[in-house]
Amino acid sequence: MAYVITQACCNDASCVDVCPVNCIHPTPDEPEFATTEMLYIDPQTCIDCGACVDECPVDAIFGDNELSEAHAVYSEINAAYFDKHPIGPDWPELAEPRSLSADLGTLRVAIVGSGPAACYAAIELTSRPRVEVDMFDRLPTPYGLVRAGVAPDHPGTKGVADVFRSALSKRSVQCHFNVEVGRHVSHDELLQHHHAVIYAVGAASDRHLGVPGEDLPGSHAATEFVAWYNGHPDYAERTFDLSGERAVIVGNGNVALDVARILVTDPDELAKTDIAQHAVEALRHSNIREVVIVGRRGPAQAAYTNPELIALGQMADVDIVVDPDEVILDSASRAWIDGPDSEPSEKLKVRQVEEFAKRTAADGRKRIVLRYLASPEEVLGDDRVEGIRLVRNELVADDAGKLSARPTDRTETLETGLVLRSIGYKGVPVADLPFDDRRGVIPNENGRVFDPETGSPIPGVYVAGWIKRGPSGVIGTNKHCSAATVDLLLSDFANGLLTQPGHDGEHLAQLIGERQPDTIDFQGWQRIDKKERVLGAEDGRLRTKIVDIAAMLEAARGEAG
């Protein structure tokens, strides 16, 4: 028997660290890790020890004789990766973590943000002795997109929060939730109290289509819709027009597939998850019967991952519809897919879509339509969205053989009252720090923030996660990203490049307490968490999220409500 990694894989590579025979790839030291959909186990090398199963934070690893029918395809997916990337003696070994001399004293680090990148940074820092961390988040609750971004029907993915909880509960970590850096405490004040500050604030905005009509009522960012159904307090009061029978999503990444599933899944099934209660009630009254997902390129270049596409095709009572004409590849595309240079993941994307195109839709069932080689030209309507005009694209190859989409003169119009753009997150500027508006990141070199005017590093200031590299990868990708940043920080500390803080942690706590009396520490968050679980148990759910800030504060104080 060999072990197999399945859909819930979060790429945090904990399994890589414990594998005694180096059979799990790509590792964080390999170039493929930055773009891989998931990790894979080589069935020829696996020795059936089970160490990876115990270590996996999201329960994504099973024996090949234990796979469910829905997961059976992953045995082939894991093996196919190694047909393309066979294990060899030149595969790099994992680097040993950097240690700190006791002579250096205690290192104090502030981490701004509490999502995956922030939590992984805290884990890396506190794995060493004599390191103290202060973590800040403007919301009363931690974990960022694990709480407010992961789809509620993917509860396994949220299991990584248990790893984060163990880090935040350490005595060497002090949590300051409901505290906004730049408002309650400044960047300079953080540096006065710490040797270094790591900004792991993610990408809080979204990218725009840049077409006429996209600001009409009824046109929204998919990120807003995701935050709404996940109970983010900033979006709990938003409304979305679900009165029409068709919704159109522009973009075909994993977020687009998440949104499409939520729109057509039976609300009674969603009510069993941790989806926000207000979203369940709105979806019970929804008239949406069809969701059209529009991608500008072909199925091989789609941004979603195969695990998400496979899960889409396994939805109960929902048809996945593909026009056969849209998956007929031209000779250049077919030669690429069938050739030795394409990745197994690209081949599988095409194969999955070709199989969808052969299916026959049932009358009366809800449906998700996958459209390819189309781009929005204009969102139509006078006072609100009434439709969207698409322009048809064709794939063209450059001299290097790289395919890109080029618009043609053919257009079509889809009637709809709801358009959701899902073309990516984007970082926003941070007070007192430089910012790259084009990329939506804080300028940095491998995590060290630098001044773009001088090209010199800004002492004691670092970044991790999406604000460092842009919105790419999945949850676990941030583990390696944060570890690399922490390694640089530790190197700078060991080499005497960080300034000794002028104030201690007690002074910081006093300062924050004066400016924000409603600070929530880890114990306060635990009380919120317990309250949500109690509320959920009353309705047969894992949790019912509290979405009102005042109610969160009551729960954090242990007040009845």
Side-chain angles (χ1 to χ4, degrees), residues 347-396:
K347 297 178 189 290
L348 182 57
K349 282 180 180 178
V350 172
R351 193 176 79 199
Q352 290 290 320
V353 172
E354 288 176 335
E355 290 179 1
F356 290 153
K358 297 175 184 177
R359 296 183 181 182
T360 301
D363 291 337
R365 297 218 304 184
K366 293 182 181 180
R367 46 195 258 162
I368 295 174
V369 181
L370 301 179
R371 296 292 309 274
Y372 299 96
L373 294 173
S375 298
E377 187 175 68
E378 183 177 2
V379 178
L380 306 172
D382 295 324
D383 299 325
R384 60 163 299 98
V385 172
E386 297 174 6
I388 185 170
R389 183 163 59 244
L390 304 175
V391 60
R392 301 293 299 158
N393 297 328
E394 61 182 0
L395 287 178
V396 294

Side-chain angles (χ1 to χ4, degrees), residues 433-455:
L433 293 181
F435 191 71
D436 183 336
D437 286 301
R438 183 183 64 83
R439 295 185 57 215
V441 300
I442 295 173
N444 71 93
E445 186 174 355
N446 301 322
R448 285 192 187 101
V449 176
F450 66 83
D451 184 338
E453 294 185 1
T454 65

Side-chain angles (χ1 to χ4, degrees), residues 222-223 225-226 229 249 254-264 291 420 422:
T223 55
F225 189 74
V226 169
Y229 67 62
I249 303 173
N254 285 347
V255 171
L257 268 56
D258 286 346
V259 169
R261 288 199 319 275
I262 296 300
L263 283 169
V264 296
V291 180
L420 299 169
S422 184

Side-chain angles (χ1 to χ4, degrees), residues 195-513:
H195 293 90
V197 182
I198 299 175
Y199 284 89
V201 294
S205 184
D206 63 278
R207 299 187 182 278
H208 291 260
L209 298 172
V211 301
E214 74 171 308
D215 294 325
L216 282 169
S219 173
H220 309 269
T223 55
E224 297 175 2
F225 189 74
V226 169
W228 170 76
Y229 67 62
N230 271 316
H232 192 299
D234 289 353
Y235 298 88
E237 300 301 322
R238 297 290 177 91
T239 58
F240 298 87
D241 186 357
L242 307 178
S243 63
E245 292 194 355
R246 175 188 290 143
V248 175
I249 303 173
V250 179
N252 59 5
N254 285 347
V255 171
L257 268 56
D258 286 346
V259 169
R261 288 199 319 275
I262 296 300
L263 283 169
V264 296
T265 295
D266 184 345
D268 289 340
E269 291 301 314
L270 292 175
K272 301 173 185 177
T273 72
D274 69 349
I275 189 172
Q277 189 60 36
H278 59 251
V280 173
E281 295 306 318
L283 290 167
R284 289 191 191 282
H285 296 91
S286 170
N287 291 327
I288 301 291
R289 305 289 303 171
E290 177 182 274
V291 180
V292 181
I293 301 176
V294 179
R296 65 185 178 87
R297 298 186 294 176
Q301 299 85 28
Y304 50 65
T305 61
N306 276 299
E308 293 299 322
L309 185 63
I310 291 169
L312 198 72
Q314 295 171 343
M315 292 183 68
D317 301 320
V318 175
D319 286 321
I320 310 301
V321 178
V322 176
D323 184 340
D325 291 340
E326 292 191 13
V327 292
I328 296 176
L329 303 183
D330 59 41
S331 57
S333 300
R334 176 54 66 185
W336 168 260
I337 287 299
D338 293 340
D341 294 330
S342 65
E343 289 291 327
S345 60
E346 296 171 320
K347 297 178 189 290
L348 182 57
K349 282 180 180 178
V350 172
R351 193 176 79 199
Q352 290 290 320
V353 172
E354 288 176 335
E355 290 179 1
F356 290 153
K358 297 175 184 177
R359 296 183 181 182
T360 301
D363 291 337
R365 297 218 304 184
K366 293 182 181 180
R367 46 195 258 162
I368 295 174
V369 181
L370 301 179
R371 296 292 309 274
Y372 299 96
L373 294 173
S375 298
E377 187 175 68
E378 183 177 2
V379 178
L380 306 172
D382 295 324
D383 299 325
R384 60 163 299 98
V385 172
E386 297 174 6
I388 185 170
R389 183 163 59 244
L390 304 175
V391 60
R392 301 293 299 158
N393 297 328
E394 61 182 0
L395 287 178
V396 294
D398 59 18
D399 293 338
K402 183 178 180 181
L403 297 172
S404 61
R406 182 175 65 187
T408 68
D409 57 1
R410 293 175 291 142
T411 63
E412 63 177 304
T413 298
L414 296 178
E415 292 185 4
T416 182
L418 178 64
V419 172
L420 299 169
R421 62 180 183 273
S422 184
I423 55 174
Y425 289 79
K426 185 178 182 181
V428 297
V430 174
D432 302 319
L433 293 181
F435 191 71
D436 183 336
D437 286 301
R438 183 183 64 83
R439 295 185 57 215
V441 300
I442 295 173
N444 71 93
E445 186 174 355
N446 301 322
R448 285 192 187 101
V449 176
F450 66 83
D451 184 338
E453 294 185 1
T454 65
S456 301
I458 301 176
V461 187
Y462 304 84
V463 285
W466 283 1
I467 199 65
K468 168 186 174 181
R469 68 182 192 276
S472 63
V474 293
I475 291 172
T477 311
N478 295 290
K479 182 179 182 180
H480 178 63
C481 174
S482 295
T485 293
V486 168
D487 190 61
L488 286 176
L489 188 159
L490 296 176
S491 174
D492 290 348
F493 181 56
N495 291 323
L497 300 179
L498 302 183
T499 302
Q500 185 72 22
H503 301 288
D504 58 16
E506 184 178 344
H507 184 271
L508 176 66
Q510 180 181 349
L511 178 70
I512 293 174

Side-chain angles (χ1 to χ4, degrees), residues 111-115 118 135-144 175-181 200 520:
I111 300 177
V112 183
S114 67
M135 180 174 285
F136 297 84
D137 198 298
R138 71 177 186 86
L139 293 177
T141 57
Y143 307 147
C175 298
H176 308 275
F177 302 144
N178 204 36
V179 175
E180 185 173 354
V181 173
I520 294 175

